[in-house]
mmCIF file with all atom_site columns, all heavy atoms in Angstrom:
data_model
loop_
_atom_site.group_PDB
_atom_site.id
_atom_site.type_symbol
_atom_site.label_atom_id
_atom_site.label_alt_id
_atom_site.label_comp_id
_atom_site.label_asym_id
_atom_site.label_entity_id
_atom_site.label_seq_id
_atom_site.pdbx_PDB_ins_code
_atom_site.Cartn_x
_atom_site.Cartn_y
_atom_site.Cartn_z
_atom_site.occupancy
_atom_site.B_iso_or_equiv
_atom_site.pdbx_formal_charge
_atom_site.auth_seq_id
_atom_site.auth_comp_id
_atom_site.auth_asym_id
_atom_site.auth_atom_id
_atom_site.pdbx_PDB_model_num
ATOM 1   N N   . ASP A 1 8   ? 4.826   8.397   -16.492 1.00 61.00 ? 32  ASP A N   1
ATOM 2   C CA  . ASP A 1 8   ? 3.868   8.421   -15.400 1.00 61.00 ? 32  ASP A CA  1
ATOM 3   C C   . ASP A 1 8   ? 2.483   8.367   -16.010 1.00 61.00 ? 32  ASP A C   1
ATOM 4   O O   . ASP A 1 8   ? 2.183   9.116   -16.932 1.00 61.00 ? 32  ASP A O   1
ATOM 5   C CB  . ASP A 1 8   ? 4.066   9.730   -14.627 1.00 61.00 ? 32  ASP A CB  1
ATOM 6   C CG  . ASP A 1 8   ? 3.248   9.789   -13.367 1.00 61.00 ? 32  ASP A CG  1
ATOM 7   O OD1 . ASP A 1 8   ? 3.015   8.731   -12.789 1.00 61.00 ? 32  ASP A OD1 1
ATOM 8   O OD2 . ASP A 1 8   ? 2.864   10.897  -12.978 1.00 61.00 ? 32  ASP A OD2 1
ATOM 9   N N   . SER A 1 17  ? 5.057   13.276  -18.458 1.00 35.00 ? 41  SER A N   1
ATOM 10  C CA  . SER A 1 17  ? 6.419   13.148  -17.970 1.00 35.00 ? 41  SER A CA  1
ATOM 11  C C   . SER A 1 17  ? 6.403   12.920  -16.474 1.00 35.00 ? 41  SER A C   1
ATOM 12  O O   . SER A 1 17  ? 5.695   13.604  -15.737 1.00 35.00 ? 41  SER A O   1
ATOM 13  C CB  . SER A 1 17  ? 7.215   14.417  -18.293 1.00 35.00 ? 41  SER A CB  1
ATOM 14  O OG  . SER A 1 17  ? 7.311   14.585  -19.687 1.00 35.00 ? 41  SER A OG  1
ATOM 15  N N   . GLY A 1 35  ? 9.875   4.476   14.010  1.00 95.00 ? 59  GLY A N   1
ATOM 16  C CA  . GLY A 1 35  ? 9.524   3.131   14.433  1.00 95.00 ? 59  GLY A CA  1
ATOM 17  C C   . GLY A 1 35  ? 10.567  2.501   15.327  1.00 95.00 ? 59  GLY A C   1
ATOM 18  O O   . GLY A 1 35  ? 11.536  3.141   15.749  1.00 95.00 ? 59  GLY A O   1
ATOM 19  N N   . PRO A 1 44  ? 11.656  -13.529 14.429  1.00 97.00 ? 68  PRO A N   1
ATOM 20  C CA  . PRO A 1 44  ? 10.845  -14.556 13.746  1.00 97.00 ? 68  PRO A CA  1
ATOM 21  C C   . PRO A 1 44  ? 9.379   -14.150 13.585  1.00 97.00 ? 68  PRO A C   1
ATOM 22  O O   . PRO A 1 44  ? 8.745   -14.501 12.582  1.00 97.00 ? 68  PRO A O   1
ATOM 23  C CB  . PRO A 1 44  ? 10.995  -15.778 14.662  1.00 97.00 ? 68  PRO A CB  1
ATOM 24  C CG  . PRO A 1 44  ? 12.302  -15.581 15.344  1.00 97.00 ? 68  PRO A CG  1
ATOM 25  C CD  . PRO A 1 44  ? 12.392  -14.099 15.572  1.00 97.00 ? 68  PRO A CD  1
ATOM 26  N N   . ILE A 1 53  ? 11.449  -13.203 2.893   1.00 96.00 ? 77  ILE A N   1
ATOM 27  C CA  . ILE A 1 53  ? 12.663  -12.389 2.840   1.00 96.00 ? 77  ILE A CA  1
ATOM 28  C C   . ILE A 1 53  ? 13.553  -12.766 1.661   1.00 96.00 ? 77  ILE A C   1
ATOM 29  O O   . ILE A 1 53  ? 14.324  -11.937 1.162   1.00 96.00 ? 77  ILE A O   1
ATOM 30  C CB  . ILE A 1 53  ? 13.432  -12.500 4.182   1.00 96.00 ? 77  ILE A CB  1
ATOM 31  C CG1 . ILE A 1 53  ? 14.430  -11.342 4.327   1.00 96.00 ? 77  ILE A CG1 1
ATOM 32  C CG2 . ILE A 1 53  ? 14.103  -13.862 4.315   1.00 96.00 ? 77  ILE A CG2 1
ATOM 33  C CD1 . ILE A 1 53  ? 15.024  -11.225 5.714   1.00 96.00 ? 77  ILE A CD1 1
ATOM 34  N N   . GLU A 1 72  ? 10.759  11.675  -5.063  1.00 96.00 ? 96  GLU A N   1
ATOM 35  C CA  . GLU A 1 72  ? 10.804  13.023  -4.479  1.00 96.00 ? 96  GLU A CA  1
ATOM 36  C C   . GLU A 1 72  ? 9.430   13.514  -4.031  1.00 96.00 ? 96  GLU A C   1
ATOM 37  O O   . GLU A 1 72  ? 9.189   14.716  -3.943  1.00 96.00 ? 96  GLU A O   1
ATOM 38  C CB  . GLU A 1 72  ? 11.390  14.028  -5.481  1.00 96.00 ? 96  GLU A CB  1
ATOM 39  C CG  . GLU A 1 72  ? 12.836  13.790  -5.839  1.00 96.00 ? 96  GLU A CG  1
ATOM 40  C CD  . GLU A 1 72  ? 13.408  14.937  -6.643  1.00 96.00 ? 96  GLU A CD  1
ATOM 41  O OE1 . GLU A 1 72  ? 12.929  15.173  -7.767  1.00 96.00 ? 96  GLU A OE1 1
ATOM 42  O OE2 . GLU A 1 72  ? 14.320  15.600  -6.128  1.00 96.00 ? 96  GLU A OE2 1
ATOM 43  N N   . VAL A 1 88  ? 2.473   -3.157  0.221   1.00 96.00 ? 112 VAL A N   1
ATOM 44  C CA  . VAL A 1 88  ? 1.623   -1.967  0.229   1.00 96.00 ? 112 VAL A CA  1
ATOM 45  C C   . VAL A 1 88  ? 1.997   -1.117  1.437   1.00 96.00 ? 112 VAL A C   1
ATOM 46  O O   . VAL A 1 88  ? 2.074   -1.626  2.563   1.00 96.00 ? 112 VAL A O   1
ATOM 47  C CB  . VAL A 1 88  ? 0.127   -2.334  0.272   1.00 96.00 ? 112 VAL A CB  1
ATOM 48  C CG1 . VAL A 1 88  ? -0.727  -1.078  0.095   1.00 96.00 ? 112 VAL A CG1 1
ATOM 49  C CG2 . VAL A 1 88  ? -0.211  -3.363  -0.803  1.00 96.00 ? 112 VAL A CG2 1
ATOM 50  N N   . PRO A 1 141 ? 12.363  2.149   -11.004 1.00 96.00 ? 165 PRO A N   1
ATOM 51  C CA  . PRO A 1 141 ? 13.436  1.294   -11.517 1.00 96.00 ? 165 PRO A CA  1
ATOM 52  C C   . PRO A 1 141 ? 14.318  0.710   -10.414 1.00 96.00 ? 165 PRO A C   1
ATOM 53  O O   . PRO A 1 141 ? 14.498  1.309   -9.354  1.00 96.00 ? 165 PRO A O   1
ATOM 54  C CB  . PRO A 1 141 ? 14.240  2.240   -12.405 1.00 96.00 ? 165 PRO A CB  1
ATOM 55  C CG  . PRO A 1 141 ? 14.039  3.579   -11.790 1.00 96.00 ? 165 PRO A CG  1
ATOM 56  C CD  . PRO A 1 141 ? 12.638  3.580   -11.226 1.00 96.00 ? 165 PRO A CD  1
ATOM 57  N N   . VAL A 1 151 ? -0.797  4.296   -6.928  1.00 98.00 ? 175 VAL A N   1
ATOM 58  C CA  . VAL A 1 151 ? -1.105  5.211   -5.825  1.00 98.00 ? 175 VAL A CA  1
ATOM 59  C C   . VAL A 1 151 ? -2.608  5.160   -5.585  1.00 98.00 ? 175 VAL A C   1
ATOM 60  O O   . VAL A 1 151 ? -3.399  5.473   -6.483  1.00 98.00 ? 175 VAL A O   1
ATOM 61  C CB  . VAL A 1 151 ? -0.662  6.652   -6.147  1.00 98.00 ? 175 VAL A CB  1
ATOM 62  C CG1 . VAL A 1 151 ? -0.935  7.565   -4.950  1.00 98.00 ? 175 VAL A CG1 1
ATOM 63  C CG2 . VAL A 1 151 ? 0.814   6.691   -6.529  1.00 98.00 ? 175 VAL A CG2 1
ATOM 64  N N   . PRO A 1 168 ? -22.354 -4.998  14.750  1.00 82.00 ? 192 PRO A N   1
ATOM 65  C CA  . PRO A 1 168 ? -23.782 -5.323  14.830  1.00 82.00 ? 192 PRO A CA  1
ATOM 66  C C   . PRO A 1 168 ? -24.291 -5.842  13.492  1.00 82.00 ? 192 PRO A C   1
ATOM 67  O O   . PRO A 1 168 ? -23.675 -5.620  12.446  1.00 82.00 ? 192 PRO A O   1
ATOM 68  C CB  . PRO A 1 168 ? -24.427 -3.988  15.209  1.00 82.00 ? 192 PRO A CB  1
ATOM 69  C CG  . PRO A 1 168 ? -23.442 -2.941  14.803  1.00 82.00 ? 192 PRO A CG  1
ATOM 70  C CD  . PRO A 1 168 ? -22.089 -3.567  14.948  1.00 82.00 ? 192 PRO A CD  1
ATOM 71  N N   . LEU A 1 174 ? -24.947 -3.754  6.008   1.00 94.00 ? 198 LEU A N   1
ATOM 72  C CA  . LEU A 1 174 ? -24.506 -2.604  5.218   1.00 94.00 ? 198 LEU A CA  1
ATOM 73  C C   . LEU A 1 174 ? -23.312 -2.983  4.351   1.00 94.00 ? 198 LEU A C   1
ATOM 74  O O   . LEU A 1 174 ? -23.251 -2.626  3.166   1.00 94.00 ? 198 LEU A O   1
ATOM 75  C CB  . LEU A 1 174 ? -24.147 -1.442  6.142   1.00 94.00 ? 198 LEU A CB  1
ATOM 76  C CG  . LEU A 1 174 ? -23.607 -0.172  5.467   1.00 94.00 ? 198 LEU A CG  1
ATOM 77  C CD1 . LEU A 1 174 ? -24.652 0.435   4.542   1.00 94.00 ? 198 LEU A CD1 1
ATOM 78  C CD2 . LEU A 1 174 ? -23.160 0.842   6.517   1.00 94.00 ? 198 LEU A CD2 1
ATOM 79  N N   . ASN A 1 197 ? -12.636 -12.491 -2.836  1.00 92.00 ? 221 ASN A N   1
ATOM 80  C CA  . ASN A 1 197 ? -12.469 -13.107 -1.524  1.00 92.00 ? 221 ASN A CA  1
ATOM 81  C C   . ASN A 1 197 ? -12.290 -12.001 -0.494  1.00 92.00 ? 221 ASN A C   1
ATOM 82  O O   . ASN A 1 197 ? -12.113 -10.832 -0.840  1.00 92.00 ? 221 ASN A O   1
ATOM 83  C CB  . ASN A 1 197 ? -11.289 -14.093 -1.509  1.00 92.00 ? 221 ASN A CB  1
ATOM 84  C CG  . ASN A 1 197 ? -9.959  -13.416 -1.771  1.00 92.00 ? 221 ASN A CG  1
ATOM 85  O OD1 . ASN A 1 197 ? -9.399  -12.765 -0.885  1.00 92.00 ? 221 ASN A OD1 1
ATOM 86  N ND2 . ASN A 1 197 ? -9.437  -13.547 -2.988  1.00 92.00 ? 221 ASN A ND2 1
ATOM 87  N N   . THR A 1 204 ? -12.838 1.186   4.782   1.00 95.00 ? 228 THR A N   1
ATOM 88  C CA  . THR A 1 204 ? -12.370 2.559   4.646   1.00 95.00 ? 228 THR A CA  1
ATOM 89  C C   . THR A 1 204 ? -11.660 2.954   5.942   1.00 95.00 ? 228 THR A C   1
ATOM 90  O O   . THR A 1 204 ? -11.774 2.280   6.969   1.00 95.00 ? 228 THR A O   1
ATOM 91  C CB  . THR A 1 204 ? -13.532 3.520   4.365   1.00 95.00 ? 228 THR A CB  1
ATOM 92  O OG1 . THR A 1 204 ? -14.523 3.366   5.392   1.00 95.00 ? 228 THR A OG1 1
ATOM 93  C CG2 . THR A 1 204 ? -14.157 3.230   3.010   1.00 95.00 ? 228 THR A CG2 1
ATOM 94  N N   . GLN A 1 231 ? 21.123  -7.360  -0.903  1.00 95.00 ? 255 GLN A N   1
ATOM 95  C CA  . GLN A 1 231 ? 20.397  -6.845  -2.050  1.00 95.00 ? 255 GLN A CA  1
ATOM 96  C C   . GLN A 1 231 ? 20.995  -5.499  -2.427  1.00 95.00 ? 255 GLN A C   1
ATOM 97  O O   . GLN A 1 231 ? 21.878  -4.993  -1.749  1.00 95.00 ? 255 GLN A O   1
ATOM 98  C CB  . GLN A 1 231 ? 18.891  -6.729  -1.786  1.00 95.00 ? 255 GLN A CB  1
ATOM 99  C CG  . GLN A 1 231 ? 18.482  -5.877  -0.612  1.00 95.00 ? 255 GLN A CG  1
ATOM 100 C CD  . GLN A 1 231 ? 18.566  -6.623  0.696   1.00 95.00 ? 255 GLN A CD  1
ATOM 101 O OE1 . GLN A 1 231 ? 18.277  -7.814  0.756   1.00 95.00 ? 255 GLN A OE1 1
ATOM 102 N NE2 . GLN A 1 231 ? 18.994  -5.940  1.736   1.00 95.00 ? 255 GLN A NE2 1
ATOM 103 N N   . LYS A 1 242 ? -1.509  -1.666  12.762  1.00 89.00 ? 266 LYS A N   1
ATOM 104 C CA  . LYS A 1 242 ? -2.727  -2.092  13.445  1.00 89.00 ? 266 LYS A CA  1
ATOM 105 C C   . LYS A 1 242 ? -3.475  -0.840  13.895  1.00 89.00 ? 266 LYS A C   1
ATOM 106 O O   . LYS A 1 242 ? -3.237  -0.325  14.988  1.00 89.00 ? 266 LYS A O   1
ATOM 107 C CB  . LYS A 1 242 ? -2.397  -2.990  14.635  1.00 89.00 ? 266 LYS A CB  1
ATOM 108 C CG  . LYS A 1 242 ? -1.794  -4.336  14.239  1.00 89.00 ? 266 LYS A CG  1
ATOM 109 C CD  . LYS A 1 242 ? -1.566  -5.222  15.444  1.00 89.00 ? 266 LYS A CD  1
ATOM 110 C CE  . LYS A 1 242 ? -1.018  -6.580  15.030  1.00 89.00 ? 266 LYS A CE  1
ATOM 111 N NZ  . LYS A 1 242 ? -0.784  -7.463  16.208  1.00 89.00 ? 266 LYS A NZ  1
#
Side-chain angles (χ1 to χ4, degrees):
D32 187 31
S41 297
I77 198 169
E96 295 189 296
V112 187
V175 183
L198 178 63
N221 63 77
T228 55
Q255 57 278 324
K266 293 184 178 180

